[in-house]
Amino acid sequence: MSLLFEPLRLRDLTVKNRVWLAPMCQYSSTDGMPDDWQLVHLGARAQGGFGLVLTEATAVVPEGRITPQDAGLWNDAQRDAWARVVDFVHSQDAAIGVQLAHAGRKASTYRPWAEAQGTVPAAEGGWDTLAPSAEAFPGYATPQEMTPEQVAAVPRQFADAARRAHEAGFDVVEVHAAHGYLLHQFLSPLSNHRTDAYGGSPENRARLLLETVDAVRAVWPEGKPVVVRVSATDWREDGLQVDDVAAVAKELAGHGVDLVDVSTGGVAPAEITVGPGYQVPHARRVREVSGMPTGAVGLITSPAQAEQVLVDGAADVVLLAREALRDPHWPLRAAHELGVKAGTSRRPAPDGQGIAWAPQYERGAWR
């Protein structure tokens, strides 16, 4: 038996295994509309055996996009376009979640392969950005400090997108509070220098995240799980530390959150020691302190390495990012390497093991 291929139940949703596709920006939309790129990108990973596939950071408002080419979920046309992707992923016996996001001061930037870098000017389709404080991320334009009214609008914006996500058929909502985007900007003392109820103490800096989760949970069906992605450390002595974020995760448990997806960094430049599984200890610590199920991500590449994360109790699920770009069928390969017999249309998977070949591809299972 492999822990990677054991099902995981969150509320009324049973995800067939614990190998999940991490959210990865695609920068390939026009006016926030998902299209054939998202269908093929997410659909291929569903075919490849991932139990849950998560969309790219999906903006809740136009000004919340990281780049002008980001996908969104702020109108019904986008909802209907996402429904096509959701239906195909479901047809491959996989679950699908949407990562809802607002980029804050890191919005309106050029996509990575553009010739220019930094903030996109209005003449090229950019816009003025918003943040907790009027302090720029290095290399980007200075944002406007959000007014109390603008802060109060954020939970409603996430809730409206979550309602559309349910209408589109998504199984999971993930609230993006990591990588230096808006909710992380409020959490971190490196980017939040407000003096009102949303700044200063750790409790005040966490207030907007908790209010946003409450607003999402209020419109999201009781039987469907909510996940929150956090950066467990800012990798700086004057920034968030893992126990700070673990305390927030513990509080999230009382606000209807079902799993914490643990990443790191992004709110400010920092020296990060990167290596295989370098973020796994943070997932373990958040899990230990908060009592919440966690997901681990970050240079997890081999099946044996991924399996060991779960065996060690460091996390409850493993999320793959760049490795999944290189190999859309990584779960099927992992099952073979770990000795798990993936099912086919003529031979179900062994009891309790959630991995199977699509009928069209099952010749690949013949040895």
Side-chain angles (χ1 to χ4, degrees), residues 2-356:
S2 164
L3 294 181
L4 276 179
F5 296 102
E6 283 190 357
L8 177 67
R9 186 175 178 86
L10 297 172
R11 297 188 182 243
D12 293 343
L13 176 68
T14 298
V15 184
K16 67 182 180 182
N17 63 45
R18 296 165 187 247
V19 187
W20 293 6
L21 179 72
M24 287 178 281
C25 291
Q26 300 298 295
Y27 310 114
S28 299
S29 295
T30 301
D31 296 328
M33 291 288 288
D35 59 18
D36 288 349
W37 183 265
Q38 282 80 11
L39 177 67
V40 173
H41 168 65
L42 296 170
R45 277 80 194 166
Q47 287 177 333
F50 286 89
L52 174 74
V53 298
L54 285 159
T55 72
E56 62 205 83
T58 302
V60 298
V61 288
E63 62 272 21
R65 290 172 292 170
I66 303 165
T67 76
Q69 293 79 31
D70 280 19
L73 196 47
W74 64 78
N75 64 41
D76 291 350
Q78 294 161 351
R79 173 201 64 194
D80 295 344
W82 277 118
R84 174 172 172 251
V85 178
V86 169
D87 288 347
F88 182 80
V89 169
H90 285 161
S91 77
Q92 302 306 301
D93 192 33
I96 182 168
V98 60
Q99 186 189 62
L100 298 180
H102 190 306
R105 71 179 186 174
K106 294 179 78 174
S108 189
T109 60
Y110 288 99
R111 57 185 173 182
W113 56 86
E115 293 185 5
Q117 295 181 341
T119 300
V120 178
E124 296 181 33
W127 55 90
D128 293 334
T129 58
L130 301 172
S133 303
E135 299 177 21
F137 184 84
Y140 295 175
T142 300
Q144 300 173 6
E145 180 171 317
M146 296 174 72
T147 66
E149 293 76 18
Q150 288 170 327
V151 174
V154 171
R156 295 196 301 271
Q157 292 163 352
F158 274 81
D160 286 344
R163 174 181 51 78
R164 291 190 179 94
H166 171 59
E167 293 168 353
F170 281 101
D171 304 295
V172 173
V173 156
E174 177 172 274
V175 174
H176 198 355
H179 299 167
Y181 299 124
L182 184 67
L183 296 176
H184 184 189
Q185 290 163 28
F186 271 88
L187 279 173
S188 176
L190 298 177
S191 49
N192 184 348
H193 299 106
R194 299 178 73 91
T195 57
D196 62 7
Y198 293 90
S201 68
E203 293 77 16
N204 281 358
R205 286 185 276 110
R207 188 182 308 277
L208 183 60
L209 171 59
L210 297 177
E211 290 179 350
T212 298
V213 167
D214 286 344
V216 167
R217 189 75 264 180
V219 301
W220 190 242
E222 181 66 23
K224 290 186 176 184
V226 170
V227 174
V228 173
R229 172 163 268 200
V230 297
S231 282
T233 175
D234 290 333
W235 294 101
R236 286 176 40 166
E237 291 185 2
D238 52 349
L240 289 170
Q241 309 300 318
V242 65
D243 280 3
D244 301 329
V245 178
V248 174
K250 186 173 184 178
E251 193 161 0
L252 287 170
H255 290 257
V257 173
D258 302 285
L259 183 141
V260 180
D261 175 5
V262 181
S263 188
T264 64
V267 81
E271 291 187 11
I272 303 175
T273 303
V274 175
Y278 71 105
Q279 295 178 147
V280 171
H282 299 91
R284 179 196 290 274
R285 183 59 179 167
V286 170
R287 189 174 189 261
E288 291 173 346
V289 172
S290 70
M292 288 280 285
T294 62
V297 65
L299 290 185
I300 297 170
T301 57
S302 76
Q305 176 197 17
E307 179 78 9
Q308 197 63 44
V309 170
L310 303 186
V311 170
D312 291 344
D316 299 87
V317 300
V318 169
L319 294 100
L320 301 187
R322 279 171 281 191
E323 189 64 20
L325 297 180
R326 292 185 281 266
D327 184 359
H329 292 82
W330 190 94
L332 289 167
R333 177 170 64 83
H336 173 65
E337 290 188 18
L338 294 172
V340 174
K341 292 188 180 297
T344 69
S345 61
R346 284 169 279 185
R347 185 196 67 207
D351 288 346
Q353 299 289 278
I355 186 70

